[in-house]
Amino acid sequence: RGDVLLQVRVAQVDARHVLVLAEDRTEARRLEAVRRDFVVNISHELKTPVGALSLLAETVQDAADDPEAVRRFAGSMQSEAMRLGALVHEIIELSRLQVAGALDGLRAVPVEQIVTESVDRARTPAESRKIRLSVAGDLSGYVYGDHNLLVTALRNLLDNAVSYSADGSAVSVGVRRVDDFVELSVVDQGIGISSDQQERIFERFYRVDPARSRETGGTGLGLSIVKHVVADHGGEISIWSEPGQGSTFTIKIPAARAPEELDAAPVAPS
Ligand code: ADP
């Protein structure tokens, strides 16, 4: 029937009985296809920086008697190597997240820690482009999560906000408690994303403008990582964006009670 794949095994038990085992392999087949696509994409993406590096190495050899050219090509090799390093790091991160149960135990994490650490790490790229970073809202709460992965997710959103904004603009992080969730929003005044592209940007290796993304050092994996981190936390991600007006990415992560409150649970009377 349609897209359903059933694997059927038949065994003769005795003269009058036959055992029929039917297994639904639809999900397994879908996962195999996802894995196959991922491998094809990875090979393609890795070939670009590797090709660039070997071309640059050849050029350096040819330019051996021109120290200025050697210095310039060595600089380009260093940035290609860094891009390659970032790509490998993100591929590993995403593969780890794609394995169910990859999170090492969730705990109550202070929202302030996640926001401060992510914003601090985004400060250098922002300052180099005179982009103002600010934080607003209630930072006092806790979320139920994995500290490092949540920093990775917020950091990816901040890096994008900075990368796809003009020099001198502003990027802000907003924090608020909504019911049983903490909402973290990253707001930029950058180039924005059209509604038909908004559906695709969470796909692995998808970029609206590959040339621009390459310039900013993007891998096309950032938002897939964010999507996986949020899903693994039982959260949600949403986007508002208008070309030329900017973008707002909002992630909702389940709120947690402060660890002290849990420790101070009432003791049964003796
Ligand atoms: P990349 O490494 O290319 O930034 P991402 O997965 O993080 O990859 O993002 C996918 C694409 O979505 C980007 O290439 C860019 O075109 C678009 N995008 C992401 N964030 C923003 C943003 N804040 N403003 C405009 N475009 C964005």
Side-chain angles (χ1 to χ4, degrees), residues 90 156-157 160-161 164 188 191-193 201 203 206-209 213 216-224 247 249:
E90 295 205 333
N156 271 311
L157 294 179
N160 281 346
Y164 301 103
D188 69 51
I191 59 174
I193 306 157
I201 51 174
E203 294 170 17
Y206 184 80
R207 299 140 176 141
V208 175
D209 175 355
S213 169
T216 60
T219 58
L221 288 178
L223 287 178
S224 319
S247 309
F249 286 83

